[in-house]
Amino acid sequence: MSKRPIGIFDSGVGGTSIWKEIHSLLPNENTIYLADSKHAPYGNKSKERIIDLSIKNTELLLQKDCKLIIVACNTATTNAIKTLRETYTIPFIGIEPAIKPAALQTKTKAVGILATKGTLSSDLFSKTTDLFTSGICVIEQVGEGIVQLIESGKLNSEEMKILLQHYIQPMLNANIDYLVLGCTHYPYLIPLLINMLPKHVKIIDSGEAVAKQTQAVLVQHNLLNTKIAKPKLQFYTNSNTEIMSALLGNSYTVEYLDF
Ligand code: DGL
């Protein structure tokens, strides 16, 4: 039972940033990662469409006998996880922007959040923001175009640098001391952002928290794989295998799958 794989899906390659955290904390676990890059970005799609795509990905992971599914996508979590949990019996782990820790720790009382349109306009995001940010100025910015650039292998391009500078400048003008990355593609931007942000601005994402939550839920359901053996790590994309492989440091085989 516990040897069954953990399933992970995202609208594309970004959720591999979450997979890295999972694999680092739970190195014995077999994993199956699905990158639905053919349908990226999810962030500009309707809630109904995001739910349909999330169901399609879930069905495929269930066919592959996954014991737990990580929705490694803020947009799919904030729009579809409720439906997934109501429809299927296995545990789902979601990811949401780390607005709460940023709001609790900010000294300048101003935090920036970069996320997709789908995440920022979701009910779940509004609820969390209302709950934790009273008296704090939250600068929300849609990261229009960022996912597309990463999906097309232009992570470190001049185009990306110009876009990021344009998005973070209003946040800097508002004197933020925390920048929340509310999309699983964005941790790949950290090296670029470090060069652009003043030293006192801290960048936070939810990857580590998701890995810890996954561990806790596996223990709770008696699903943790405690056998020390080389895990089977499978990566599937319905688009470009080379771009995904490069983000994984060219250390793993990425297979093409039409889904
Ligand atoms: N990685 C997805 C997220 O965390 C990107 C969403 C999109 O495809 O727009 O939101």
Side-chain angles (χ1 to χ4, degrees), residues 18-28 208 211:
I18 304 302
W19 173 85
K20 286 178 187 174
E21 300 281 355
I22 301 289
H23 182 55
S24 149
L25 186 68
L26 302 165
N28 299 329
E208 211 185 312

Side-chain angles (χ1 to χ4, degrees), residues 50-65:
I50 296 169
I51 290 175
D52 285 350
L53 290 167
S54 299
I55 287 176
K56 167 189 67 82
N57 299 332
T58 297
E59 291 284 340
L60 183 51
L61 289 170
L62 290 177
Q63 274 170 31
K64 293 183 179 294
D65 200 27

Side-chain angles (χ1 to χ4, degrees), residues 18-88:
I18 304 302
W19 173 85
K20 286 178 187 174
E21 300 281 355
I22 301 289
H23 182 55
S24 149
L25 186 68
L26 302 165
N28 299 329
E29 296 292 338
N30 299 309
T31 60
I32 301 181
Y33 183 97
L34 290 187
D36 190 14
S37 296
K38 191 165 84 181
H39 300 104
Y42 281 11
N44 301 340
K45 294 184 167 51
S46 68
K47 184 180 169 81
E48 292 68 34
R49 180 74 178 130
I50 296 169
I51 290 175
D52 285 350
L53 290 167
S54 299
I55 287 176
K56 167 189 67 82
N57 299 332
T58 297
E59 291 284 340
L60 183 51
L61 289 170
L62 290 177
Q63 274 170 31
K64 293 183 179 294
D65 200 27
C66 290
K67 61 182 176 184
L68 169 146
I69 292 180
I70 300 170
V71 182
C73 175
N74 291 259
T75 314
T77 299
T78 48
N79 287 277
I81 203 158
K82 189 166 173 284
T83 307
L84 296 177
R85 286 185 173 138
E86 284 165 2
T87 313
Y88 302 98

Side-chain angles (χ1 to χ4, degrees), residues 63-131:
Q63 274 170 31
K64 293 183 179 294
D65 200 27
C66 290
K67 61 182 176 184
L68 169 146
I69 292 180
I70 300 170
V71 182
C73 175
N74 291 259
T75 314
T77 299
T78 48
N79 287 277
I81 203 158
K82 189 166 173 284
T83 307
L84 296 177
R85 286 185 173 138
E86 284 165 2
T87 313
Y88 302 98
T89 52
I90 65 157
F92 284 88
I93 307 287
I95 179 161
E96 284 179 68
I99 198 87
K100 180 180 167 186
L104 291 175
Q105 293 171 72
T106 175
K107 293 201 168 52
T108 61
K109 301 289 169 214
V111 302
I113 160 126
L114 192 60
T116 69
K117 185 165 156 245
T119 294
L120 294 177
S121 61
S122 67
D123 292 341
L124 196 54
F125 177 75
S126 314
K127 273 191 202 137
T128 316
T129 310
D130 290 349
L131 209 57

Side-chain angles (χ1 to χ4, degrees), residues 7-256:
I8 304 171
F9 77 81
D10 179 35
S11 61
V13 296
T16 52
S17 65
I18 304 302
W19 173 85
K20 286 178 187 174
E21 300 281 355
I22 301 289
H23 182 55
S24 149
L25 186 68
L26 302 165
N28 299 329
E29 296 292 338
N30 299 309
T31 60
I32 301 181
Y33 183 97
L34 290 187
D36 190 14
S37 296
K38 191 165 84 181
H39 300 104
Y42 281 11
N44 301 340
K45 294 184 167 51
S46 68
K47 184 180 169 81
E48 292 68 34
R49 180 74 178 130
I50 296 169
I51 290 175
D52 285 350
L53 290 167
S54 299
I55 287 176
K56 167 189 67 82
N57 299 332
T58 297
E59 291 284 340
L60 183 51
L61 289 170
L62 290 177
Q63 274 170 31
K64 293 183 179 294
D65 200 27
C66 290
K67 61 182 176 184
L68 169 146
I69 292 180
I70 300 170
V71 182
C73 175
N74 291 259
T75 314
T77 299
T78 48
N79 287 277
I81 203 158
K82 189 166 173 284
T83 307
L84 296 177
R85 286 185 173 138
E86 284 165 2
T87 313
Y88 302 98
T89 52
I90 65 157
F92 284 88
I93 307 287
I95 179 161
E96 284 179 68
I99 198 87
K100 180 180 167 186
L104 291 175
Q105 293 171 72
T106 175
K107 293 201 168 52
T108 61
K109 301 289 169 214
V111 302
I113 160 126
L114 192 60
T116 69
K117 185 165 156 245
T119 294
L120 294 177
S121 61
S122 67
D123 292 341
L124 196 54
F125 177 75
S126 314
K127 273 191 202 137
T128 316
T129 310
D130 290 349
L131 209 57
F132 298 108
T133 62
S134 129
I136 289 163
C137 171
V138 181
I139 320 286
E140 295 179 14
Q141 175 64 55
V142 174
E144 189 63 51
I146 297 178
V147 166
Q148 292 91 320
L149 285 176
I150 296 176
E151 288 293 327
S152 53
K154 294 182 185 157
L155 172 62
N156 292 308
S157 62
E158 211 43 48
E159 224 176 321
M160 181 70 91
K161 288 178 197 158
I162 293 167
L163 209 53
L164 286 181
Q165 194 61 55
H166 177 67
Y167 291 156
I168 62 173
Q169 196 53 51
M171 300 183 184
L172 297 178
N173 296 346
N175 196 25
I176 63 157
D177 59 355
Y178 276 87
L179 170 60
V180 179
L181 301 182
C183 168
T184 56
H185 283 68
Y186 299 173
Y188 287 111
L189 303 171
I190 291 174
L192 292 177
L193 287 168
I194 285 175
N195 283 332
M196 291 177 181
L197 293 167
K199 288 221 166 13
H200 72 278
V201 177
K202 295 179 191 67
I203 303 171
I204 50 174
D205 65 74
S206 320
E208 211 185 312
V210 168
K212 285 189 181 150
Q213 174 68 3
T214 303
Q215 185 180 42
V217 172
L218 287 174
V219 170
Q220 189 193 333
H221 288 80
N222 217 5
L223 287 171
L224 198 68
N225 188 354
T226 46
K227 292 266 172 321
I228 311 220
K230 205 168 179 287
K232 193 168 175 197
L233 308 170
Q234 299 172 75
F235 297 92
Y236 296 102
T237 174
N238 50 19
S239 184
N240 188 313
T241 55
E242 279 168 29
I243 290 173
M244 182 156 160
S245 184
L247 280 183
L248 289 164
N250 292 314
S251 314
Y252 303 97
T253 308
V254 178
E255 290 174 58
Y256 176 81

